[in-house]
Amino acid sequence: MRFTSLGSGSLGNALVAEAGQTRLMLDCGFTVQETESRLARAGLAPSDLAGIIVTHEHGDHADGVFPLARRYGIPVWMTYGTLAALRDGGASAEDCAIRLVDSQRAFSVGDLLVEPFTVPHDAREPVQYVLSDGASRLGVLTDTGCSTVHIAASLSRCDALVLECNYDPDLLEGGPYPPSLKARIAGRLGHLDNRTSGEILSALDRSRLRHVIAAHLSQTNNTPQLARGALARALDCDPEWISVATQEEGFSWRTL
Ligand SMILES: [Zn+2]
Ligand SMILES: [Zn+2]
């Protein structure tokens, strides 16, 4: 199994996981053209994708999903709440093959097993996912305001984790955002700060953990150094061991 990010942050997110002949895209917050060029950079074309699985309706995760799915006939998995919220927001799922995700139930697409888990975030029915090929597990957690027992249980015993480090609390507090937006980001249905991400990491069963990638960093309220430092402190490891996904590049293929 291997995985790569096509970009990560508030301007767009997409990740691809591959096991055997199956490739799944996790979220698509980029235009079709942008997605095509980012996939090409990873050596892929849209026709290589067996499906797109979606975490929630926010534009940085979902804006490109239906256009890409429609253009290339790619099936889409999302919760009913996410679908309803996208439709209410004016998105058209016409000519897209939609499969509804039950947030309590794992499902398979080809060689990949997909385990959804619920998260507290200000969306209609948000989930995050663990992807596995039966031997290795990749856990992805972004867009959650805080941790829960359910999140910790879902992400334990992963071989790789892509973990949101959205903001540094001091930079957010002293930064340019209006008070209402600061409150939304820091709220229990907002985003994870570096320290909370570290706490989540240190509470997990990490017996199999070999890759940690900090993701969804705010370009205004965080720096790669701060995110890396917070996770390294939580793991008591060298900061260089922690990778950081960027908005422009994401991160290159990692093999489990
Ligand atoms: Zn997001
Ligand atoms: Zn979100």
Side-chain angles (χ1 to χ4, degrees):
M1 181 176 174
R2 61 177 191 152
F3 63 100
T4 182
S5 166
L6 306 185
S8 177
S10 56
L11 299 180
N13 296 272
L15 181 147
V16 177
E18 173 187 280
Q21 288 306 305
T22 306
R23 290 169 206 92
L24 282 181
M25 178 175 277
L26 171 55
D27 287 335
C28 186
F30 302 108
T31 63
V32 171
Q33 194 183 10
E34 186 70 35
T35 307
E36 289 167 344
S37 76
R38 287 174 185 248
L39 277 170
R41 209 165 58 195
L44 297 175
S47 55
D48 293 321
L49 301 174
I52 308 170
I53 58 175
V54 182
T55 58
H56 66 300
E57 66 270 23
H58 291 161
D60 55 322
H61 300 263
D63 271 358
V65 171
F66 293 147
L68 188 72
R70 191 178 297 118
R71 174 90 56 101
Y72 291 98
I74 305 166
V76 176
W77 279 259
M78 59 175 58
T79 64
Y80 180 77
T82 298
L83 177 61
L86 284 168
R87 282 183 170 146
D88 288 355
S92 167
E94 209 178 339
D95 298 328
C96 295
I98 309 286
R99 320 260 198 267
L100 290 181
V101 169
D102 175 344
S103 61
Q104 309 295 320
R105 187 165 300 198
F107 57 94
S108 289
V109 182
D111 295 317
L112 280 165
L113 178 70
V114 183
E115 301 171 39
F117 58 96
T118 54
V119 292
H121 187 55
D122 51 7
R124 193 81 63 90
E125 192 186 358
V127 290
Q128 294 287 321
Y129 295 98
V130 172
L131 302 171
S132 108
D133 63 354
S136 305
R137 286 161 57 79
L138 161 65
V140 178
L141 177 67
T142 68
D143 299 73
T144 182
C146 55
S147 188
T148 63
V149 173
H150 184 48
I151 289 175
S154 301
L155 291 179
S156 281
R157 294 176 306 287
C158 280
D159 299 78
L161 284 173
V162 175
L163 189 58
E164 172 169 47
C165 286
N166 188 268
Y167 66 98
D168 172 84
D170 294 332
L171 287 185
L172 178 67
E173 182 58 37
Y177 285 7
S180 59
L181 183 54
K182 288 180 183 175
R184 189 219 142 215
I185 291 169
R188 294 180 66 77
L189 297 177
H191 289 277
L192 285 179
D193 70 279
N194 297 339
R195 191 177 335 110
T196 308
S197 295
E199 285 165 11
I200 291 173
L201 206 43
S202 52
L204 296 176
D205 178 340
R206 301 188 304 280
S207 51
R208 300 175 55 106
L209 192 59
R210 285 179 287 151
H211 300 269
V212 175
I213 297 148
H216 213 307
L217 271 70
S218 165
Q219 292 181 331
T220 307
N221 304 310
N222 210 353
T223 69
Q225 291 78 7
L226 287 170
R228 201 179 255 133
L231 296 190
R233 269 193 300 285
L235 292 177
D236 195 19
C237 72
D238 184 336
E240 291 307 308
W241 190 76
I242 310 281
S243 300
V244 177
T246 64
Q247 184 68 74
E248 271 315 302
E249 306 289 329
F251 53 82
S252 50
W253 286 106
R254 302 299 174 93
T255 301
L256 297 178

